[in-house]
Amino acid sequence: MERPLIEEIHDRIDEFTSTERKAAYALLANYPVQGLDTVANFAKAAGVSSPTILRFVARLGFPGFADFQGRLRKELASQLNTPLARSSELQQVPPDNMDPLVAQMVDNVRETFAHLPKGELEGVIRLLADEKRTIHLIGGRFTDALARYTAAHLRIVRPNVIHVAGQQGNWFDQLLGVGSKDVIVVFDIRRYQTEIIRFAETAAAQGASVVLVTDSWMSPVGRIASFVLPARVAVPSPWDSSTALMAIAEVLIAGVSAANPERSQKRMQALEDLRNGHDPSKGGETMPDGE
Amino acid sequence: MERPLIEEIHDRIDEFTSTERKAAYALLANYPVQGLDTVANFAKAAGVSSPTILRFVARLGFPGFADFQGRLRKELASQLNTPLARSSELQQVPPDNMDPLVAQMVDNVRETFAHLPKGELEGVIRLLADEKRTIHLIGGRFTDALARYTAAHLRIVRPNVIHVAGQQGNWFDQLLGVGSKDVIVVFDIRRYQTEIIRFAETAAAQGASVVLVTDSWMSPVGRIASFVLPARVAVPSPWDSSTALMAIAEVLIAGVSAANPERSQKRMQALEDLRNGHDPSKGGETMPDGE
DNA sequence: ACAATTCTGTAACAAAAAATACAACAGTTA
DNA sequence: TAACTGTTGTATTTTTTGTTACAGAATTGT
């Protein structure tokens, strides 16, 4: 068969108009089930009108919605008919006796970057490297650690980096004065927290750019995000894996450092001096939790 | 959710008339997919007429064909969303034009586990799975995020998990009463922070077991640690990479969950209930088929 | 700031699919 | 064999759904 439609949509995401992209994300978020519903329901789920759905499938090259659904059914049928063949595919990767969990994590990182739209990464890095903008980072129950990690690094290479943490009630205080010069970076995977979604939406409404790092295109934040970086998180374990998310974070950090090497160098040096001057023997200043 | 429709059809196969049975078999042969097509196509595939299909779904208890399809979609969606099912979407892509940074990170993860002494991992997991012990997690400037992440997960599957955070001055308060029944997990990479070292050393002196997750440079903590898990952190960037550390953390988390599945399951369920009881706000609208 | 172009939703329309009515048929019983 | 009961398909109606036309909104370029 031809290559999976989901991959094509993912790779061609840039060709779509903004509302068509909403349709694409809605479909990817619940693939392929969302596409097997009626046009009207699909439209409602995506937050767009019916004609937009039709234009979306037309741009994908289908003469009509029925043909599109036919393709989805065909893919689904062939996928469901070879469940065991597929799952054994997972263990083919390790040449040696590698833990399947580890093998999958390695694969997730590779696959994540193989499918990241190239322009998407560059766009985000350009945004984050712009020091005239203020960066706000926020994450969910587990992914907050990633937001913190990224903030700790970005803070070193550029000014105006804020990690949104602590009491949820206080989050919205931080939205005061947020506007088109601000960037919100959201780490959000399944079990999306409504507070985070509201935070991102409010910020977007005030004109801020939203960058979303998420699992396979599912977060509702995707609708209002300027950039979406989807990562593979599935592993043979009750948990989702954040390893690929961490890899994305590090690529962003490296990219921002490289985007302006002199500035990064200078700031690192200055911080080094400050640290030594303040306290040569003990690392006595505010520590990891210094918010 | 109610029990799967496919089961019900199986059990009630005798209730159907002979042509309805044809419909049932056509559906079972291509399980949910055949039912997501139009009535006419379904009928043709089953070799019966359209009204027979309608009578078949009516006998199953659905008011109309649309409701029947809705049920199929709902089941399908929940089935496809389990992590393991989603992993079948994965497929290998040749590592052609990969960013060197990403390539190195992928390699780091693989190499890290290739060189981890097997018994070491198992020993740590056994230690962390023992709920009679109290786990204290601590990290450095950047790696504190990993300590936090690990703590957030462990806390769910077992009791007595503490993330040592906040003001450094308060750290040592937590050492009161720490003894041979405690485990200290230290995340520490180059630029080892003296405070963390002292913390670990003190705990060890009081009889606690120390687990160290570190880079290959081997933190000074290594001398007093019961277990050392070294990770590859070098990447072509001014920073060290924590991706392999994250991978280690996740393997530990998965291991502890798997070491005592019933306990993990029970605690997760209890937390779920608690969460629902606490937070009745259901944001259910955007994705009709999800949840 | 204006014009041209592209995008997007509302609303009307056409196509299709689902639902129904009904007659023919098969099997069973008297 | 005749009458009854339950089953099935054809033909028709009704409803839903997909599609298209068009006008307003938004965006882009000059």
Side-chain angles (χ1 to χ4, degrees), chain A residues 17-20 48-49 51-52 55:
Chain A
T17 68
S18 70
T19 49
E20 285 167 10
V48 302
S49 68
T52 297
R55 286 187 279 258

Side-chain angles (χ1 to χ4, degrees), chain A residues 166-184:
Chain A
Q167 296 298 318
Q168 291 198 356
N170 300 337
W171 285 1
F172 286 81
D173 301 350
Q174 308 220 19
L175 283 177
L176 271 174
V178 162
S180 61
K181 278 297 171 200
D182 292 75
V183 180
I184 316 292

Side-chain angles (χ1 to χ4, degrees), chain A residues 35 99-100 125 198 223 289:
Chain A
D99 184 325
I125 289 172
R198 275 190 50 214
R223 303 237 186 83
D289 262 279

Side-chain angles (χ1 to χ4, degrees), chain A residues 37-60:
Chain A
D37 209 331
T38 65
V39 171
N41 285 345
F42 190 169
K44 195 192 290 182
V48 302
S49 68
S50 297
T52 297
I53 301 296
L54 277 310
R55 286 187 279 258
F56 167 64
V57 306
R59 195 181 299 266
L60 284 173

Side-chain angles (χ1 to χ4, degrees), chain A residues 199-281:
Chain A
F199 185 90
E201 282 175 346
T202 310
Q206 298 183 7
S209 307
V210 174
V211 174
L212 171 66
V213 184
T214 185
D215 56 355
S216 307
W217 317 291
M218 304 180 77
S219 169
V221 179
R223 303 237 186 83
I224 50 103
S226 315
F227 293 98
V228 179
L229 302 176
R232 303 276 165 125
V233 299
V235 284
S237 138
W239 308 104
D240 283 337
S241 161
S242 293
T243 300
L245 296 170
M246 174 64 95
I248 286 182
E250 298 202 311
V251 167
L252 292 181
I253 292 164
V256 173
S257 302
N260 200 334
E262 312 85 42
R263 179 185 66 191
S264 304
Q265 191 58 43
K266 231 168 63 186
R267 287 181 60 93
M268 284 170 78
Q269 189 58 54
L271 270 174
E272 190 80 14
D273 295 348
L274 204 64
R275 200 166 285 265
N276 288 337
H278 258 243
D279 200 347
S281 56

Side-chain angles (χ1 to χ4, degrees), chain A residues 59-133:
Chain A
R59 195 181 299 266
L60 284 173
F62 295 96
F65 193 71
D67 307 85
F68 165 73
Q69 289 192 322
R71 166 69 172 272
L72 289 180
R73 274 195 302 270
K74 202 170 123 201
E75 281 190 5
L76 189 58
S78 74
Q79 197 187 343
L80 292 176
N81 280 340
T82 53
L84 283 174
R86 292 274 182 166
S87 71
S88 68
E89 203 176 285
L90 293 182
Q91 269 107 353
Q92 100 194 2
V93 189
D96 45 2
N97 53 346
M98 206 185 219
D99 184 325
L101 174 58
V102 175
Q104 187 64 58
M105 290 194 305
V106 168
D107 224 57
N108 280 351
V109 177
R110 196 188 310 114
E111 286 294 308
T112 293
F113 286 95
H115 293 296
L116 268 187
K118 188 76 174 179
E120 208 85 346
L121 251 187
E122 285 165 7
V124 173
I125 289 172
R126 201 171 317 119
L127 209 57
L128 297 183
D130 181 356
E131 70 182 47
K132 287 195 298 293
R133 292 169 185 276

